[in-house]
Amino acid sequence: MAFPLPKPQAPQLPQHLLRTIDCQQGAVRAVRFNADGNYLLSCGSDKSLKLWSASRGTPLKTYSGHGYEVLDADGSYDNSQICSCSSDKTVILWDVATGQVSRKLRGHAGVSCAVDDFLLHRSIDGTVRCWDTRSRRFEPIQVLDEARDSISSVKVAQHELLTGSVDGRLRRYDLRMGQLYVDFINSPITCVCFSQDGQCTLTSTLDSTVRLLDKSTGEMLGEYTGHKMKGYKLDCCLSGKDTHVLSCSEDGHVYCWDLVEGSLSLKLPVGKAVVQSLSFHPTETRLLTAMEGRVQVWGAEPEETEEAMAT
């Protein structure tokens, strides 16, 4: 006698608050998991960048060298370097272990993204600049200047570069083929990202809408609304297995929609202020959020306390 196959369980969502970290670095402008999700980065308005243990929420190292608030940061895939940028128009490449400055580039206002041997930097002057981190040259090896307004977000996946601009255009550069593909969104873009399978792109815009597009054709696959995004540059992302779309909101919540159905699966209450930034764990059902001067770590299940494990 054949038994029926078990019904597949619905994907879990990070709805349990595991810990709150008081970063003590002013307002947290951005929070990011590192490549393997074991550590997190927090960018502060007090000019500092901090590295934390994601599992314990303990500070590991503070990186100081910017002259004004740190806007964003990213880590290299081998976890040996961190790239950060600031309102002081500097981009700094840090050695993770020593905390020393490896490279410091000046004169370009924007937010950065570090990728292996290359450093990509998007700017309010409408350009994306690329430096070879193995070289000591201060001049970028390439400048992408097709945008008509500020570049608000940049993401890299393998040989492709994705940018979003205030001019309402999503640009995808195929660096291997030397091709540029443009999709017009008709609203200022605040954040862009690739899906995990590399087949789709996700954009959030100032008309309080998150859109899922087919990467190759530009066809609209999904629209996600209900959150508030009118005057802030807020993050959006996809869950680790591309099952859900997540977005920050100005009403103090993180909104989570089912990717296929478009229905709201979770409205996560973070606090009473604007949820400024979020980051989804690369392999586990964990989420980071940033509000004011604190970072929250969320999980699918509550963590057992040491007292409960002892009994």
Side-chain angles (χ1 to χ4, degrees):
M1 178 179 177
F3 291 95
L5 295 174
K7 187 178 180 180
Q9 294 183 344
Q12 291 183 308
L13 296 173
Q15 53 189 319
H16 296 279
L17 181 62
L18 304 183
R19 67 188 57 84
T20 298
I21 303 172
D22 184 1
C23 296
Q24 297 183 358
Q25 54 184 148
V28 177
R29 299 306 184 194
V31 61
R32 303 285 179 246
F33 274 116
N34 74 318
D36 57 21
N38 291 327
Y39 305 98
L40 65 93
L41 297 165
S42 62
C43 306
S45 63
D46 69 344
K47 313 174 190 176
S48 71
L49 171 69
K50 291 188 177 183
L51 179 69
W52 306 79
S53 166
S55 60
R56 297 182 177 272
T58 53
L60 301 176
K61 192 173 285 290
T62 299
Y63 303 88
S64 300
H66 284 294
Y68 205 61
E69 60 182 12
V70 182
L71 298 177
D72 206 348
D74 200 358
S76 61
Y77 291 128
D78 62 2
N79 297 321
S80 65
Q81 294 179 312
I82 297 172
C83 176
S84 65
C85 73
S86 167
S87 297
D88 65 1
K89 299 184 180 181
T90 62
V91 184
I92 296 180
L93 192 65
W94 307 87
D95 182 272
V96 171
T98 65
Q100 298 299 309
V101 176
S102 301
R103 296 282 302 278
K104 190 170 186 177
L105 304 164
R106 300 178 183 273
H108 197 59
V111 175
S112 54
C113 176
V115 185
D116 281 345
D117 296 326
F118 299 96
L119 188 152
L120 295 170
H121 184 243
R122 61 92 172 165
S123 170
I124 61 174
D125 69 0
T127 65
V128 177
R129 305 188 183 197
C130 180
W131 287 272
D132 186 346
T133 59
R134 299 164 296 184
S135 169
R136 303 306 300 177
R137 294 181 60 186
F138 289 96
E139 298 79 15
I141 60 175
Q142 190 168 10
V143 177
L144 307 174
D145 58 0
E146 287 79 13
R148 301 176 184 175
D149 209 326
S150 302
I151 303 292
S152 56
S153 183
V154 58
K155 292 291 188 299
V156 177
Q158 296 180 348
H159 60 277
E160 292 184 313
L161 170 64
L162 190 68
T163 69
S165 173
V166 180
D167 66 11
R169 286 167 173 81
L170 176 71
R171 294 175 173 87
R172 178 171 59 90
Y173 298 85
D174 188 322
L175 302 177
R176 185 176 58 187
M177 301 299 295
Q179 296 289 328
L180 169 62
Y181 305 91
V182 182
D183 293 307
F184 184 52
I185 305 297
N186 199 29
S187 181
I189 297 173
T190 65
C191 185
V192 300
C193 62
F194 288 103
S195 60
Q196 300 296 327
D197 63 7
Q199 301 302 309
C200 303
T201 61
L202 191 71
T203 63
S204 63
T205 52
L206 287 180
D207 59 356
S208 299
T209 305
V210 179
R211 296 173 175 86
L212 183 73
L213 304 180
D214 183 279
K215 186 185 74 172
S216 300
T217 66
E219 178 187 357
M220 178 89 67
L221 301 178
E223 260 187 340
Y224 311 91
T225 58
H227 62 300
K228 182 181 179 182
M229 190 183 299
K230 296 292 186 181
Y232 290 85
K233 181 196 173 301
L234 306 180
D235 290 339
C236 69
C237 71
L238 287 156
S239 60
K241 296 183 179 179
D242 287 340
T243 58
H244 290 83
V245 173
L246 295 92
S247 175
C248 297
S249 179
E250 296 173 14
D251 63 7
H253 295 78
V254 169
Y255 286 70
C256 182
W257 300 270
D258 183 279
L259 181 138
V260 177
E261 297 180 359
S263 57
L264 185 65
S265 301
L266 176 66
K267 185 179 177 182
L268 187 67
V270 180
K272 296 182 179 180
V274 175
V275 184
Q276 187 71 40
S277 181
L278 59 76
S279 181
F280 207 93
H281 194 282
T283 57
E284 300 175 10
T285 309
R286 300 219 170 187
L287 176 70
L288 300 176
T289 57
M291 176 180 286
E292 297 180 323
R294 296 176 297 277
V295 168
Q296 299 81 21
V297 184
W298 306 83
E301 300 290 343
E303 283 188 341
E304 292 187 9
T305 62
E306 293 183 2
E307 292 80 3
M309 294 176 65
T311 59

